[in-house]
Every structure is written in structure tokens, then in C-alpha cells.
Amino acid sequence: MSSPTTTRPRSVVARLALAAVLAAGGVLAGPAGVAQAASPYERGPAPTTAILEASRGPFATASQSVSSLSVVGFGGGVIYYPTSTSEGTFGAIAISPGFTASWSSISWLGPRIASHGFVVIGIETNTRLDQPDSRGRQLLAALDYLTERSSVRSRIDSSRLAVAGHSMGGGGSLEAASSRPSLQAAVPLAPWNTDKSWSELRVPTLIIGGESDSVAPVATHSVPFYNSIPASAEKAYLELNGASHFFPQTTNTPTARQMVAWLKRFVDDDTRYEQFLCPGPSGSQIQEYRNTCPSA
């Protein structure tokens, strides 16, 4: 992991600047004094629970395969992206599967997230046995490919990037966030890693764990990971009631809802999604939810 850094992610700086303007009674304005959205990166309609819980978001999407022979640093994968070009560029996220798994094991996440206005690359790892540190480097290599060489690079804002992953891929997303503090968000799902302390993280991080996970028990993985991340980085922990280690391998509405809301809030600086983070989700599917509210 990299050494601690005091570099603030762009989204944090933007939020502080926005708070200062609003506290002073200011109004963000565009040409000729026309009021503008709080964030220039807002994409799509005003969010609702129904939109977040639907099987697809408001954007039509397309996908394309990426051959391992055409990339360096990771094993290829699949890119999902909004087909619209009328709303400007989009943020992007790279997602890694877990130990011994292929992207197909969690591929439902690709079109689901892309349909809310993100470019997504679901990666294949160099080998199925790659450890979290390797998966972290591969996630960053995939982001570099997306923004520098992919056919969809013109659709992406390279300053608004995120990582996620399942199991060792989730542990890899922590490694990537540690190595590249300029990332705007990280979402580890049932993360596994032998390193339990992430006090150097400065990237807004949502960890989602399963109450009944016996592979990466939350008591020895997700919870200590969450506790070790400084509150100044912005963090949240969602624990799913009765869920096993493999909850991301089938369509999971609480996971999708919270993941999209987190990405919209921190990658897009879209404060319209704050309502889904603070106070956060509740109900029979939720065992526990913690957050460093308020994040605005």
C-alpha cells in the first residue's frame, strides 16, 4: 500500500467550495446569470427509490468486449456505457471479480450501473488466483486503458473514476484506492484482504458485507476495514441481513441501490443522492448501516 497522503480528492475540494458558496448565501450561476445545478456532473432525472431499485436506470446502454490481447496489465473484460452523447462525459468505474471467479460471476452489475450514467469496465484478471494487491493494480490498469486507449475514452471524464470488486476483488479495490488517492469512490463487496488497516485511505469508500459470510466474515474483514478508514475520507458500511459471501453473484437490489447512490454522490458530486446515504437504507434486508453523515 502507499504511504499516507494529505492530497484531497477533487470531489472533496468541490464539496468544500460549494459549501462555502452556499454558506455565504451565494448562488451558482452560468451565462447571463442563469442558475445552474449544484454540480456540473449531474446526469439523469431527479432520483427516486423506484429509479434506484429498477432493473435498469434511465440511460440506454451498449457493451463491447475487450480482448486480453489488446490490453496491458489486466486480462481484458467487458465495457458497458451509456449510448447518449447529449449529456457530456461520464464518470467511470472498474470492477474486479473474486478469487477463482470470472467477470461473468458479477456481470449483472455492468449494465445496471452504466444505465445510471457511468462507463463501466468489468475486468477479467490475469489469472483466477491473483491476490488483492495484484487485483488492485489491474483495476488501475483497466481505468488507464478506459481513459487513454479504449474506443469509449471520449465519453469519459478522466478526473471522475472509481473502483469496486467482490471478495479478493473487493480487497483489490481497497488496494487501488490506497495507491491512487485521486479516485473519487471505492465500493468493496464482501471484501477479503489480509491487511486489516486502511488508515491511509482518502477515497470515499462504501463497504457492503454479508451477515452470514463464512469466507470473509464481516467481523474480521468488512467491519475492521471500515473502522480503520478515517471519517475524513467519507465512508459507509452496509451489512445485508442473512447474506452469504456470494450475495454479489446474483442480482441484489440493496447492493445496487446503495452502490449507485454512492457513485452518483461522490463520482458525480450529485447531492440529490444524499437522501439515500443519510440516514441510509433500512428494512428487513438490512442488518446494519453506518455512515459518516453528513457528507455534504
Side-chain angles (χ1 to χ4, degrees):
M1 295 187 303
S2 64
S3 59
T5 177
T6 57
T7 302
R8 287 178 181 264
R10 177 195 51 75
S11 61
V12 173
V13 175
R15 294 199 304 276
L16 291 174
L18 173 60
V21 171
L22 296 179
V27 176
L28 298 179
V34 177
Q36 301 294 306
S39 167
Y41 310 119
E42 287 184 3
R43 301 289 184 267
T48 64
T49 297
I51 288 175
L52 284 173
E53 293 187 350
S55 61
R56 289 291 184 273
F59 289 90
T61 65
S63 65
Q64 60 181 244
S65 297
V66 178
S67 169
S68 61
L69 300 178
S70 65
V71 299
V72 176
F74 67 107
V78 183
I79 298 172
Y80 308 83
Y81 58 95
T83 56
S84 171
T85 57
S86 64
E87 300 207 21
T89 54
F90 297 96
I93 178 170
I95 309 177
S96 168
F99 187 66
T100 75
S102 66
W103 166 243
S104 64
S105 67
I106 55 172
S107 61
W108 68 275
L109 285 167
R112 182 77 170 249
I113 294 171
S115 70
H116 286 275
F118 296 97
V119 176
V120 181
I121 182 166
I123 72 168
E124 301 292 358
T125 49
N126 291 325
T127 79
R128 298 283 181 94
L129 306 181
D130 289 338
Q131 297 298 297
D133 58 343
S134 174
R135 290 170 191 263
R137 291 191 297 272
Q138 292 178 59
L139 285 168
L140 297 179
L143 288 177
D144 292 342
Y145 167 77
L146 261 189
T147 59
E148 297 170 7
R149 297 182 298 281
S150 76
S151 63
V152 298
R153 61 188 181 276
S154 64
R155 299 172 182 263
I156 300 170
D157 179 347
S158 61
S159 71
R160 296 190 290 124
L161 305 177
V163 290
H166 174 223
S167 192
M168 282 195 183
S173 70
L174 290 168
E175 299 278 358
S178 174
S179 298
R180 189 175 292 181
S182 62
L183 293 174
Q184 301 303 296
V187 187
L189 307 174
W192 187 100
N193 200 307
T194 56
D195 187 342
K196 308 303 179 184
S197 178
W198 300 92
S199 60
E200 78 282 6
L201 251 62
R202 298 295 182 267
V203 175
T205 301
L206 165 66
I207 297 176
I208 305 180
E211 179 191 17
S212 300
D213 190 333
S214 59
V215 177
V218 294
T220 54
H221 289 79
S222 292
V223 171
F225 297 164
Y226 173 82
N227 288 338
S228 71
I229 299 171
S232 59
E234 304 292 2
K235 61 179 181 176
Y237 172 61
L238 172 62
E239 186 173 308
L240 301 178
N241 187 30
S244 76
H245 183 65
F246 302 102
F247 71 83
Q249 294 189 350
T250 56
T251 301
N252 186 284
T253 298
T255 295
R257 168 179 162 161
Q258 214 61 21
M259 191 171 181
V260 168
W262 192 263
L263 294 172
K264 297 293 273 188
R265 178 63 186 85
F266 292 106
V267 176
D268 287 356
D269 291 334
D270 193 336
T271 57
R272 298 178 300 172
Y273 288 81
E274 185 76 16
Q275 62 184 304
F276 302 103
L277 306 182
C278 298
S282 61
S284 61
Q285 294 177 293
I286 309 303
Q287 173 64 24
E288 181 184 357
Y289 180 73
R290 310 181 200 174
N291 194 312
T292 51
C293 293
S295 53

CSV table of all heavy atoms in Angstrom, one decimal, residues 15 34 39 52 57 59 83 91 114 118 159 161 165 175 177 179 183 186 192 197 201 205 234 277 283-284:
chain,number,residue,atom,x,y,z
A,15,ARG,N,-16.8,19.9,-2.9
A,15,ARG,CA,-17.8,20.0,-1.9
A,15,ARG,C,-17.6,21.1,-0.9
A,15,ARG,O,-18.5,21.8,-0.5
A,15,ARG,CB,-18.0,18.6,-1.1
A,15,ARG,CG,-18.5,17.5,-2.0
A,15,ARG,CD,-19.1,16.4,-1.2
A,15,ARG,NE,-18.1,15.9,-0.2
A,15,ARG,CZ,-17.2,15.0,-0.5
A,15,ARG,NH1,-17.1,14.5,-1.7
A,15,ARG,NH2,-16.4,14.5,0.5
A,34,VAL,N,-27.9,32.8,-15.3
A,34,VAL,CA,-28.9,31.7,-15.2
A,34,VAL,C,-28.4,30.7,-14.2
A,34,VAL,O,-27.3,30.2,-14.2
A,34,VAL,CB,-29.0,31.0,-16.6
A,34,VAL,CG1,-29.9,29.8,-16.5
A,34,VAL,CG2,-29.5,31.9,-17.6
A,39,SER,N,-24.0,20.7,-9.1
A,39,SER,CA,-22.8,20.1,-9.6
A,39,SER,C,-22.9,20.0,-11.2
A,39,SER,O,-24.0,19.7,-11.7
A,39,SER,CB,-22.7,18.6,-9.1
A,39,SER,OG,-21.7,17.9,-9.9
A,52,LEU,N,-33.8,3.9,-8.5
A,52,LEU,CA,-32.6,3.1,-8.0
A,52,LEU,C,-32.9,1.6,-7.9
A,52,LEU,O,-32.0,0.8,-8.0
A,52,LEU,CB,-32.2,3.7,-6.6
A,52,LEU,CG,-31.5,5.1,-6.7
A,52,LEU,CD1,-31.3,5.6,-5.3
A,52,LEU,CD2,-30.2,4.9,-7.4
A,57,GLY,N,-31.5,1.7,-15.0
A,57,GLY,CA,-31.7,3.2,-14.8
A,57,GLY,C,-32.2,3.9,-16.0
A,57,GLY,O,-32.6,3.2,-17.0
A,59,PHE,N,-30.7,5.5,-18.5
A,59,PHE,CA,-29.9,5.6,-19.7
A,59,PHE,C,-29.9,4.3,-20.4
A,59,PHE,O,-29.6,3.2,-19.8
A,59,PHE,CB,-28.4,6.0,-19.3
A,59,PHE,CG,-28.2,7.4,-18.9
A,59,PHE,CD1,-28.3,7.7,-17.5
A,59,PHE,CD2,-28.0,8.4,-19.8
A,59,PHE,CE1,-28.2,9.0,-17.1
A,59,PHE,CE2,-27.8,9.7,-19.4
A,59,PHE,CZ,-27.9,10.0,-18.0
A,83,THR,N,-25.4,5.1,-24.2
A,83,THR,CA,-25.3,5.4,-25.6
A,83,THR,C,-25.5,6.9,-25.9
A,83,THR,O,-25.1,7.4,-26.9
A,83,THR,CB,-26.4,4.6,-26.4
A,83,THR,OG1,-27.7,4.9,-25.8
A,83,THR,CG2,-26.1,3.1,-26.3
A,91,GLY,N,-18.6,9.7,-15.6
A,91,GLY,CA,-17.6,9.1,-14.7
A,91,GLY,C,-17.4,7.6,-15.1
A,91,GLY,O,-18.3,7.1,-15.8
A,114,ALA,N,-24.1,1.2,-15.5
A,114,ALA,CA,-24.0,2.0,-16.7
A,114,ALA,C,-25.3,2.7,-17.0
A,114,ALA,O,-25.2,3.8,-17.5
A,114,ALA,CB,-23.5,1.2,-17.8
A,118,PHE,N,-22.8,5.9,-16.1
A,118,PHE,CA,-21.4,5.7,-15.9
A,118,PHE,C,-20.9,4.8,-17.0
A,118,PHE,O,-21.6,3.9,-17.5
A,118,PHE,CB,-21.2,5.0,-14.5
A,118,PHE,CG,-21.5,5.8,-13.3
A,118,PHE,CD1,-22.8,5.6,-12.7
A,118,PHE,CD2,-20.7,6.7,-12.8
A,118,PHE,CE1,-23.1,6.4,-11.6
A,118,PHE,CE2,-21.0,7.5,-11.7
A,118,PHE,CZ,-22.3,7.4,-11.1
A,159,SER,N,-11.2,12.6,-14.7
A,159,SER,CA,-11.0,13.1,-13.3
A,159,SER,C,-12.0,12.5,-12.4
A,159,SER,O,-12.0,12.7,-11.1
A,159,SER,CB,-11.1,14.6,-13.2
A,159,SER,OG,-12.4,15.1,-13.4
A,161,LEU,N,-13.2,8.9,-11.5
A,161,LEU,CA,-13.0,7.5,-11.6
A,161,LEU,C,-13.2,6.8,-10.3
A,161,LEU,O,-13.0,7.4,-9.2
A,161,LEU,CB,-11.6,7.2,-12.2
A,161,LEU,CG,-11.2,7.9,-13.5
A,161,LEU,CD1,-9.8,7.5,-13.8
A,161,LEU,CD2,-12.2,7.5,-14.6
A,165,GLY,N,-15.2,-4.2,-6.4
A,165,GLY,CA,-14.8,-5.6,-6.6
A,165,GLY,C,-15.5,-6.5,-5.6
A,165,GLY,O,-15.9,-6.0,-4.5
A,175,GLU,N,-6.9,-1.8,-2.2
A,175,GLU,CA,-5.5,-1.6,-2.6
A,175,GLU,C,-5.4,-0.4,-3.6
A,175,GLU,O,-4.5,0.4,-3.5
A,175,GLU,CB,-5.0,-2.9,-3.1
A,175,GLU,CG,-4.9,-4.0,-2.2
A,175,GLU,CD,-3.7,-4.0,-1.2
A,175,GLU,OE1,-2.9,-3.1,-1.3
A,175,GLU,OE2,-3.7,-5.0,-0.4
A,177,ALA,N,-7.5,2.0,-4.1
A,177,ALA,CA,-7.9,3.3,-3.5
A,177,ALA,C,-6.7,3.8,-2.7
A,177,ALA,O,-6.5,5.1,-2.6
A,177,ALA,CB,-9.1,3.2,-2.7
A,179,SER,N,-3.5,3.2,-3.3
A,179,SER,CA,-2.4,3.5,-4.3
A,179,SER,C,-2.7,4.8,-5.1
A,179,SER,O,-1.8,5.5,-5.5
A,179,SER,CB,-2.2,2.4,-5.3
A,179,SER,OG,-1.8,1.2,-4.6
A,183,LEU,N,-8.8,8.9,-6.8
A,183,LEU,CA,-10.0,8.2,-7.2
A,183,LEU,C,-11.2,8.9,-6.4
A,183,LEU,O,-11.0,9.4,-5.3
A,183,LEU,CB,-10.0,6.7,-6.8
A,183,LEU,CG,-9.0,5.9,-7.7
A,183,LEU,CD1,-9.0,4.4,-7.1
A,183,LEU,CD2,-9.5,5.8,-9.1
A,186,ALA,N,-14.7,4.2,-3.9
A,186,ALA,CA,-14.4,2.7,-3.9
A,186,ALA,C,-15.6,2.0,-3.3
A,186,ALA,O,-16.2,2.5,-2.3
A,186,ALA,CB,-13.1,2.5,-3.1
A,192,TRP,N,-12.2,-9.2,0.9
A,192,TRP,CA,-11.2,-10.1,1.6
A,192,TRP,C,-9.9,-9.5,1.4
A,192,TRP,O,-9.4,-9.2,0.3
A,192,TRP,CB,-11.3,-11.5,1.0
A,192,TRP,CG,-10.5,-12.6,1.7
A,192,TRP,CD1,-11.0,-13.5,2.6
A,192,TRP,CD2,-9.1,-12.8,1.6
A,192,TRP,NE1,-9.9,-14.3,3.1
A,192,TRP,CE2,-8.7,-13.9,2.5
A,192,TRP,CE3,-8.0,-12.2,0.9
A,192,TRP,CZ2,-7.5,-14.4,2.6
A,192,TRP,CZ3,-6.8,-12.7,1.0
A,192,TRP,CH2,-6.5,-13.8,1.9
A,197,SER,N,-5.9,-2.9,8.2
A,197,SER,CA,-5.8,-1.4,8.5
A,197,SER,C,-5.7,-0.6,7.2
A,197,SER,O,-4.8,-0.8,6.4
A,197,SER,CB,-4.7,-1.1,9.4
A,197,SER,OG,-4.6,0.3,9.7
A,201,LEU,N,-6.4,5.6,3.7
A,201,LEU,CA,-7.4,5.9,2.7
A,201,LEU,C,-7.9,7.3,2.8
A,201,LEU,O,-8.3,7.7,3.8
A,201,LEU,CB,-8.5,4.8,2.7
A,201,LEU,CG,-8.5,3.8,1.6
A,201,LEU,CD1,-7.3,3.0,1.6
A,201,LEU,CD2,-9.7,2.9,1.7
A,205,THR,N,-15.4,5.7,0.6
A,205,THR,CA,-15.5,4.2,0.5
A,205,THR,C,-16.8,3.7,1.1
A,205,THR,O,-17.0,3.9,2.3
A,205,THR,CB,-14.3,3.5,1.2
A,205,THR,OG1,-13.1,4.0,0.5
A,205,THR,CG2,-14.3,2.0,1.0
A,234,GLU,N,-14.8,10.1,4.2
A,234,GLU,CA,-16.2,9.7,3.9
A,234,GLU,C,-16.2,8.2,3.7
A,234,GLU,O,-15.5,7.6,2.9
A,234,GLU,CB,-16.8,10.4,2.6
A,234,GLU,CG,-16.7,11.9,2.7
A,234,GLU,CD,-17.6,12.6,3.7
A,234,GLU,OE1,-18.3,11.8,4.4
A,234,GLU,OE2,-17.6,13.8,3.8
A,277,LEU,N,-28.1,8.2,1.3
A,277,LEU,CA,-26.9,7.9,2.1
A,277,LEU,C,-27.1,8.3,3.6
A,277,LEU,O,-26.6,7.6,4.5
A,277,LEU,CB,-25.7,8.5,1.5
A,277,LEU,CG,-25.4,8.3,0.1
A,277,LEU,CD1,-24.1,9.0,-0.3
A,277,LEU,CD2,-25.3,6.8,-0.2
A,283,GLY,N,-34.9,-1.6,6.8
A,283,GLY,CA,-35.8,-2.7,6.3
A,283,GLY,C,-35.3,-4.1,6.6
A,283,GLY,O,-34.2,-4.2,7.2
A,284,SER,N,-36.1,-5.0,6.2
A,284,SER,CA,-35.8,-6.4,6.6
A,284,SER,C,-34.5,-7.0,5.9
A,284,SER,O,-33.9,-7.9,6.5
A,284,SER,CB,-37.0,-7.3,6.2
A,284,SER,OG,-37.2,-7.3,4.8
